[in-house]
Short mmCIF file of all heavy atoms in Angstrom, two decimals:
data_model
loop_
_atom_site.label_atom_id
_atom_site.label_comp_id
_atom_site.label_asym_id
_atom_site.label_seq_id
_atom_site.Cartn_x
_atom_site.Cartn_y
_atom_site.Cartn_z
N TRP Z 298 0.42 0.11 -3.57
CA TRP Z 298 1.70 -0.47 -3.19
C TRP Z 298 1.61 -1.22 -1.86
O TRP Z 298 2.31 -2.21 -1.64
CB TRP Z 298 2.76 0.64 -3.07
CG TRP Z 298 3.03 1.32 -4.35
CD1 TRP Z 298 2.45 2.47 -4.81
CD2 TRP Z 298 3.94 0.89 -5.37
NE1 TRP Z 298 2.94 2.79 -6.06
CE2 TRP Z 298 3.86 1.84 -6.42
CE3 TRP Z 298 4.82 -0.17 -5.49
CZ2 TRP Z 298 4.63 1.73 -7.58
CZ3 TRP Z 298 5.58 -0.29 -6.64
CH2 TRP Z 298 5.48 0.65 -7.67
N LEU Z 299 0.75 -0.73 -0.97
CA LEU Z 299 0.66 -1.31 0.36
C LEU Z 299 0.14 -2.75 0.33
O LEU Z 299 0.64 -3.61 1.06
CB LEU Z 299 -0.26 -0.45 1.23
CG LEU Z 299 -0.50 -0.93 2.66
CD1 LEU Z 299 0.80 -0.99 3.44
CD2 LEU Z 299 -1.51 -0.03 3.37
N ILE Z 300 -0.85 -3.03 -0.52
CA ILE Z 300 -1.42 -4.38 -0.54
C ILE Z 300 -0.41 -5.42 -1.03
O ILE Z 300 -0.22 -6.45 -0.36
CB ILE Z 300 -2.71 -4.39 -1.38
CG1 ILE Z 300 -3.81 -3.62 -0.63
CG2 ILE Z 300 -3.16 -5.81 -1.68
CD1 ILE Z 300 -5.08 -3.41 -1.43
N PRO Z 301 0.28 -5.22 -2.16
CA PRO Z 301 1.28 -6.23 -2.53
C PRO Z 301 2.44 -6.31 -1.54
O PRO Z 301 2.96 -7.41 -1.28
CB PRO Z 301 1.76 -5.78 -3.91
CG PRO Z 301 1.33 -4.37 -4.06
CD PRO Z 301 0.10 -4.21 -3.23
N ALA Z 302 2.83 -5.18 -0.96
CA ALA Z 302 3.91 -5.22 0.03
C ALA Z 302 3.47 -5.99 1.27
O ALA Z 302 4.25 -6.78 1.84
CB ALA Z 302 4.32 -3.79 0.42
N SER Z 303 2.23 -5.80 1.70
CA SER Z 303 1.72 -6.53 2.86
C SER Z 303 1.63 -8.03 2.57
O SER Z 303 1.91 -8.85 3.44
CB SER Z 303 0.33 -6.00 3.25
OG SER Z 303 0.40 -4.66 3.67
N ALA Z 304 1.23 -8.38 1.35
CA ALA Z 304 1.14 -9.79 0.99
C ALA Z 304 2.51 -10.46 1.05
O ALA Z 304 2.66 -11.54 1.64
CB ALA Z 304 0.54 -9.92 -0.41
N LEU Z 305 3.52 -9.82 0.47
CA LEU Z 305 4.86 -10.40 0.49
C LEU Z 305 5.43 -10.45 1.91
O LEU Z 305 6.05 -11.45 2.31
CB LEU Z 305 5.79 -9.59 -0.42
CG LEU Z 305 5.52 -9.70 -1.92
CD1 LEU Z 305 6.37 -8.69 -2.70
CD2 LEU Z 305 5.80 -11.12 -2.42
N ALA Z 306 5.23 -9.38 2.67
CA ALA Z 306 5.71 -9.38 4.05
C ALA Z 306 5.00 -10.43 4.88
O ALA Z 306 5.59 -11.08 5.75
CB ALA Z 306 5.51 -8.00 4.67
N GLY Z 307 3.71 -10.63 4.63
CA GLY Z 307 2.96 -11.66 5.35
C GLY Z 307 3.49 -13.05 5.06
O GLY Z 307 3.63 -13.87 5.97
N ALA Z 308 3.78 -13.34 3.79
CA ALA Z 308 4.33 -14.65 3.44
C ALA Z 308 5.69 -14.87 4.10
O ALA Z 308 5.97 -15.95 4.63
CB ALA Z 308 4.46 -14.76 1.92
N THR Z 309 6.52 -13.83 4.08
CA THR Z 309 7.85 -13.95 4.70
C THR Z 309 7.74 -14.19 6.20
O THR Z 309 8.39 -15.09 6.74
CB THR Z 309 8.66 -12.67 4.43
OG1 THR Z 309 8.79 -12.46 3.03
CG2 THR Z 309 10.05 -12.78 5.05
N LEU Z 310 6.92 -13.40 6.87
CA LEU Z 310 6.81 -13.51 8.32
C LEU Z 310 6.21 -14.85 8.74
O LEU Z 310 6.67 -15.47 9.71
CB LEU Z 310 5.95 -12.36 8.85
CG LEU Z 310 5.86 -12.22 10.38
CD1 LEU Z 310 7.25 -12.04 10.98
CD2 LEU Z 310 4.97 -11.05 10.76
N LEU Z 311 5.21 -15.33 8.01
CA LEU Z 311 4.60 -16.61 8.37
C LEU Z 311 5.57 -17.76 8.19
O LEU Z 311 5.67 -18.64 9.06
CB LEU Z 311 3.34 -16.83 7.52
CG LEU Z 311 2.56 -18.12 7.85
CD1 LEU Z 311 2.05 -18.09 9.28
CD2 LEU Z 311 1.40 -18.30 6.89
N LEU Z 312 6.31 -17.78 7.09
CA LEU Z 312 7.26 -18.87 6.87
C LEU Z 312 8.40 -18.82 7.90
O LEU Z 312 8.84 -19.86 8.40
CB LEU Z 312 7.83 -18.79 5.46
CG LEU Z 312 6.86 -19.17 4.33
CD1 LEU Z 312 7.49 -18.91 2.97
CD2 LEU Z 312 6.45 -20.63 4.45
N LEU Z 313 8.87 -17.62 8.23
CA LEU Z 313 9.93 -17.51 9.24
C LEU Z 313 9.42 -17.95 10.61
O LEU Z 313 10.16 -18.57 11.38
CB LEU Z 313 10.46 -16.07 9.29
CG LEU Z 313 11.26 -15.61 8.07
CD1 LEU Z 313 11.69 -14.16 8.24
CD2 LEU Z 313 12.47 -16.51 7.83
N ALA Z 314 8.17 -17.61 10.94
CA ALA Z 314 7.60 -18.06 12.21
C ALA Z 314 7.49 -19.57 12.25
O ALA Z 314 7.73 -20.21 13.28
CB ALA Z 314 6.22 -17.41 12.42
N ASP Z 315 7.13 -20.17 11.12
CA ASP Z 315 7.04 -21.63 11.05
C ASP Z 315 8.41 -22.27 11.23
O ASP Z 315 8.56 -23.27 11.94
CB ASP Z 315 6.43 -22.04 9.71
CG ASP Z 315 6.14 -23.52 9.63
OD1 ASP Z 315 5.56 -24.07 10.59
OD2 ASP Z 315 6.48 -24.14 8.61
N VAL Z 316 9.43 -21.68 10.61
CA VAL Z 316 10.79 -22.20 10.76
C VAL Z 316 11.25 -22.05 12.21
O VAL Z 316 11.85 -22.98 12.79
CB VAL Z 316 11.75 -21.45 9.80
CG1 VAL Z 316 13.21 -21.80 10.13
CG2 VAL Z 316 11.44 -21.80 8.35
N LEU Z 317 10.97 -20.90 12.82
CA LEU Z 317 11.37 -20.68 14.21
C LEU Z 317 10.70 -21.69 15.14
O LEU Z 317 11.33 -22.19 16.09
CB LEU Z 317 11.00 -19.26 14.63
CG LEU Z 317 11.39 -18.83 16.05
CD1 LEU Z 317 12.92 -18.91 16.22
CD2 LEU Z 317 10.89 -17.42 16.34
N GLY Z 318 9.46 -22.02 14.85
CA GLY Z 318 8.76 -23.01 15.66
C GLY Z 318 9.39 -24.38 15.60
O GLY Z 318 9.29 -25.17 16.55
N ARG Z 319 10.07 -24.70 14.50
CA ARG Z 319 10.75 -25.99 14.39
C ARG Z 319 12.08 -25.99 15.14
O ARG Z 319 12.59 -27.05 15.49
CB ARG Z 319 11.03 -26.32 12.92
CG ARG Z 319 9.82 -26.32 12.02
CD ARG Z 319 10.24 -26.62 10.58
NE ARG Z 319 9.32 -26.01 9.62
CZ ARG Z 319 9.54 -25.98 8.31
NH1 ARG Z 319 10.65 -26.53 7.82
NH2 ARG Z 319 8.67 -25.42 7.49
N ILE Z 320 12.64 -24.79 15.35
CA ILE Z 320 13.98 -24.70 15.96
C ILE Z 320 13.91 -24.64 17.48
O ILE Z 320 14.69 -25.31 18.17
CB ILE Z 320 14.72 -23.45 15.43
CG1 ILE Z 320 14.96 -23.58 13.92
CG2 ILE Z 320 16.04 -23.25 16.17
CD1 ILE Z 320 15.56 -22.33 13.30
N VAL Z 321 13.00 -23.85 18.04
CA VAL Z 321 13.05 -23.52 19.47
C VAL Z 321 12.79 -24.72 20.36
O VAL Z 321 13.28 -24.74 21.50
CB VAL Z 321 12.05 -22.38 19.79
CG1 VAL Z 321 12.50 -21.08 19.16
CG2 VAL Z 321 10.64 -22.74 19.37
N VAL Z 322 12.04 -25.70 19.90
CA VAL Z 322 11.78 -26.88 20.73
C VAL Z 322 12.22 -28.15 20.00
O VAL Z 322 11.67 -29.22 20.21
CB VAL Z 322 10.29 -26.98 21.12
CG1 VAL Z 322 9.91 -25.88 22.08
CG2 VAL Z 322 9.39 -26.97 19.91
N SER Z 323 13.22 -28.03 19.11
CA SER Z 323 13.70 -29.17 18.35
C SER Z 323 14.16 -30.30 19.29
O SER Z 323 14.76 -30.02 20.34
CB SER Z 323 14.88 -28.73 17.46
OG SER Z 323 15.34 -29.79 16.69
N PRO Z 324 13.87 -31.56 18.97
CA PRO Z 324 13.29 -32.08 17.73
C PRO Z 324 11.77 -32.02 17.67
O PRO Z 324 11.16 -32.55 16.75
CB PRO Z 324 13.75 -33.53 17.72
CG PRO Z 324 13.81 -33.90 19.17
CD PRO Z 324 14.26 -32.65 19.89
N GLY Z 325 11.13 -31.39 18.66
CA GLY Z 325 9.69 -31.20 18.60
C GLY Z 325 9.35 -29.99 17.74
O GLY Z 325 10.17 -29.52 16.93
N GLU Z 326 8.16 -29.46 17.92
CA GLU Z 326 7.72 -28.35 17.09
C GLU Z 326 6.72 -27.47 17.84
O GLU Z 326 5.83 -27.98 18.52
CB GLU Z 326 7.08 -28.90 15.81
CG GLU Z 326 6.67 -27.84 14.82
CD GLU Z 326 6.16 -28.46 13.52
OE1 GLU Z 326 6.79 -29.43 13.05
OE2 GLU Z 326 5.14 -27.98 13.01
N LEU Z 327 6.90 -26.16 17.73
CA LEU Z 327 5.98 -25.19 18.30
C LEU Z 327 5.08 -24.68 17.19
O LEU Z 327 5.56 -24.28 16.12
CB LEU Z 327 6.76 -24.04 18.93
CG LEU Z 327 6.00 -23.09 19.86
CD1 LEU Z 327 5.46 -23.83 21.06
CD2 LEU Z 327 6.90 -21.94 20.29
N GLN Z 328 3.78 -24.68 17.41
CA GLN Z 328 2.84 -24.33 16.35
C GLN Z 328 3.03 -22.87 15.91
O GLN Z 328 3.34 -21.98 16.71
CB GLN Z 328 1.41 -24.54 16.83
CG GLN Z 328 1.11 -25.95 17.31
CD GLN Z 328 1.33 -26.99 16.23
OE1 GLN Z 328 1.18 -26.70 15.06
NE2 GLN Z 328 1.69 -28.21 16.62
N THR Z 329 2.81 -22.64 14.63
CA THR Z 329 3.02 -21.32 14.03
C THR Z 329 2.16 -20.25 14.70
O THR Z 329 2.62 -19.12 14.93
CB THR Z 329 2.70 -21.36 12.53
OG1 THR Z 329 3.40 -22.45 11.93
CG2 THR Z 329 3.10 -20.06 11.86
N GLY Z 330 0.92 -20.59 15.01
CA GLY Z 330 0.04 -19.63 15.67
C GLY Z 330 0.57 -19.18 17.01
O GLY Z 330 0.41 -18.01 17.40
N ILE Z 331 1.23 -20.08 17.74
CA ILE Z 331 1.80 -19.73 19.04
C ILE Z 331 2.99 -18.80 18.88
O ILE Z 331 3.16 -17.82 19.62
CB ILE Z 331 2.19 -21.01 19.80
CG1 ILE Z 331 0.95 -21.88 20.06
CG2 ILE Z 331 2.91 -20.68 21.11
CD1 ILE Z 331 1.26 -23.23 20.68
N VAL Z 332 3.84 -19.09 17.89
CA VAL Z 332 5.01 -18.23 17.63
C VAL Z 332 4.56 -16.81 17.28
O VAL Z 332 5.10 -15.82 17.79
CB VAL Z 332 5.87 -18.82 16.50
CG1 VAL Z 332 7.04 -17.89 16.18
CG2 VAL Z 332 6.40 -20.19 16.90
N LEU Z 333 3.57 -16.70 16.40
CA LEU Z 333 3.10 -15.38 16.00
C LEU Z 333 2.40 -14.66 17.14
O LEU Z 333 2.49 -13.43 17.26
CB LEU Z 333 2.16 -15.51 14.80
CG LEU Z 333 2.85 -15.81 13.47
CD1 LEU Z 333 1.82 -16.13 12.40
CD2 LEU Z 333 3.70 -14.62 13.03
N ALA Z 334 1.71 -15.40 17.99
CA ALA Z 334 1.07 -14.78 19.15
C ALA Z 334 2.12 -14.21 20.10
O ALA Z 334 1.94 -13.12 20.67
CB ALA Z 334 0.19 -15.78 19.87
#
Protein backbone atom coordinates (compact mmCIF):
# COMPACT_ATOMS: atom_id res chain seq x y z
CA TRP A 1 0.00 0.00 0.00
CA LEU A 2 2.86 2.36 0.79
CA ILE A 3 4.37 2.35 -2.72
CA PRO A 4 1.19 3.32 -4.62
CA ALA A 5 0.30 5.84 -1.90
CA SER A 6 3.77 7.39 -2.13
CA ALA A 7 3.51 7.56 -5.92
CA LEU A 8 0.17 9.40 -5.81
CA ALA A 9 1.31 11.70 -3.02
CA GLY A 10 4.50 12.45 -4.93
CA ALA A 11 2.57 13.42 -8.06
CA THR A 12 0.25 15.65 -6.04
CA LEU A 13 3.05 17.38 -4.14
CA LEU A 14 5.18 17.97 -7.24
CA LEU A 15 2.33 19.48 -9.25
CA LEU A 16 1.26 21.70 -6.33
CA ALA A 17 4.87 22.86 -5.88
CA ASP A 18 5.01 23.71 -9.58
CA VAL A 19 1.76 25.67 -9.33
CA LEU A 20 3.01 27.51 -6.22
CA GLY A 21 6.18 28.45 -8.08
CA ARG A 22 4.07 30.16 -10.74
CA ILE A 23 2.12 32.14 -8.14
CA VAL A 24 4.69 33.45 -5.65
CA VAL A 25 6.71 35.49 -8.16
CA SER A 26 4.01 36.04 -10.80
CA PRO A 27 4.26 36.97 -13.65
CA GLY A 28 7.68 35.30 -13.31
CA GLU A 29 8.26 31.77 -12.11
CA LEU A 30 10.12 30.05 -9.27
CA GLN A 31 11.61 26.69 -10.23
CA THR A 32 9.96 23.59 -8.79
CA GLY A 33 13.20 22.32 -7.26
CA ILE A 34 13.56 25.56 -5.29
CA VAL A 35 9.98 25.38 -3.97
CA LEU A 36 10.46 21.79 -2.82
CA ALA A 37 13.81 22.62 -1.24
